[in-house]
Each structure stands twice: as C-alpha cells, then as structure tokens.
Amino acid sequence: VPGMLLKALVLEHEWEQTAALLERAAKGERLEVEQPYEFGDLKGVYLLQYFPLLSDGKIMGIGVVVRDITERKKMAEEIAHQHEEIRASEEELRQNLEELTAMQETLTRRTNEIERVREEEKARFEEQLQAQIDQFQLREQELLHRVAQLETALAEASKHHK
C-alpha cells in the first residue's frame, strides 16, 4: 500500500506535517517542501513534491517525489556567499571611488588655488619690477638732467675763467 510505504519512510515526528501536505495534495494542490535530514554523520536536504494523480479529471491518488537536493543547496549557498563577497567588494570599490573622487576634487581645488596664488604673485612681482624700472628711469633722467646742468655750469665757468 503506497500510504504505508510513505509512512514507513517518514520519521514519526514528521508524520503530522506530511499528513497535512498529503491532505492538501488530495484536494488538488501541487506542493514542494524542503526537508532537512540527518542520518548519523550524513546531513542533507530532500525536496518533497506532492501532487494529485488525475484520471479523467478526477483525483485518483497522490504522487510524491523525493529528491536529494543537498548538493544543489550547497551550490546555492556557495553562490549566495560569493554574491555577498562580490557585493561587499563592490561596496568597497564604490567607497574607494568616492574617496578618490573627493581626493581628486580636493587636488583640483588646491591646484587651482596654487595657480591663482602663482598668478597673483607673478602680477605683484611684475608690478614691483615695473615700479623699480620706473624709479630707475626717473633717477636716470634726474641724473642726466643734473649732468647736463653740471656740464652747462662747467662750460660757463670755463668761459669766465678764460
């Protein structure tokens, strides 16, 4: 008898849940349930699929398929773990990019400030240099004028001395 065979496979503490699932399948539902198992050192997960068996549109019985999905679950967990590592790496890279962008903006501001100060200093230096050149030219004209005065005075003194 299929029901008895199934009952023989189901652990006693799981029978109540299994009976409820069988009852739902008998009403036409298709169900999938993951069930962990442990037999000594052997641990894993079964996927139990419950479905109505139909004949001429009428439910004639209940089918149950049991698959060991332990490896599939392990792979899914590994993929989830790798996904989390990738997400963490992506977050770290995003933060690093934000920091680099902020540093680049700071560097650009500082470079612009240095360039502005350099231009101001260059203009100030050129202004001071031009002021000194103007002073030297003025002094040169004053000296040339003084020399001309002295030459004129000397020429007149020479005329009176003769």
Side-chain angles (χ1 to χ4, degrees):
V1 179
M4 294 189 72
L5 179 60
L6 181 60
K7 192 168 186 172
L9 293 173
V10 175
L11 298 174
E12 193 174 317
H13 68 278
E14 297 170 350
W15 181 247
E16 194 173 306
Q17 177 188 4
T18 302
L21 293 168
L22 288 168
E23 204 172 292
R24 288 173 60 189
K27 292 179 182 176
E29 279 189 71
R30 297 180 71 81
L31 307 159
E32 285 190 358
V33 177
E34 290 183 9
Q35 181 70 44
Y37 67 83
E38 188 173 331
F39 299 110
D41 291 343
L42 186 62
K43 295 179 182 180
V45 180
Y46 286 132
L47 175 65
L48 297 112
Q49 297 172 307
Y50 299 86
F51 51 92
L53 297 173
L54 303 173
S55 177
D56 294 328
K58 293 183 181 181
I59 297 173
M60 303 304 289
I62 303 165
V64 178
V65 176
V66 179
R67 292 188 187 135
D68 189 333
I69 60 168
T70 304
E71 287 304 313
R72 185 171 82 182
K73 292 290 281 185
K74 284 180 185 176
M75 287 178 16
E77 288 171 6
E78 180 63 28
I79 289 169
H81 176 72
Q82 289 174 355
H83 177 74
E84 181 56 32
E85 286 179 346
I86 289 169
R87 192 205 61 72
S89 294
E90 182 181 343
E91 178 62 22
E92 184 179 347
L93 287 173
R94 186 191 61 74
Q95 289 174 356
N96 289 345
L97 180 60
E98 286 176 4
E99 289 175 16
L100 286 172
T101 301
M103 283 191 260
Q104 184 177 14
E105 289 170 358
T106 299
L107 184 59
T108 299
R109 279 193 310 274
R110 287 183 179 169
T111 300
N112 291 341
E113 180 66 17
I114 288 169
E115 184 61 27
R116 184 188 62 76
V117 169
R118 190 186 71 73
E119 287 296 322
E120 287 175 1
E121 287 299 310
K122 178 182 173 190
R124 191 172 61 80
F125 175 76
E126 287 174 352
E127 190 177 296
Q128 288 175 346
L129 184 61
Q130 188 60 50
Q132 287 178 351
I133 289 171
D134 292 347
Q135 284 180 349
F136 285 135
Q137 287 175 342
L138 183 61
R139 182 70 178 141
E140 179 185 31
Q141 287 176 358
E142 288 172 357
L143 288 173
L144 288 173
H145 181 66
R146 182 71 179 138
V147 166
Q149 285 176 339
L150 289 172
E151 286 175 345
T152 302
L154 184 61
E156 283 194 25
S158 288
K159 278 188 205 176
H160 290 313
H161 236 33
K162 286 186 181 185

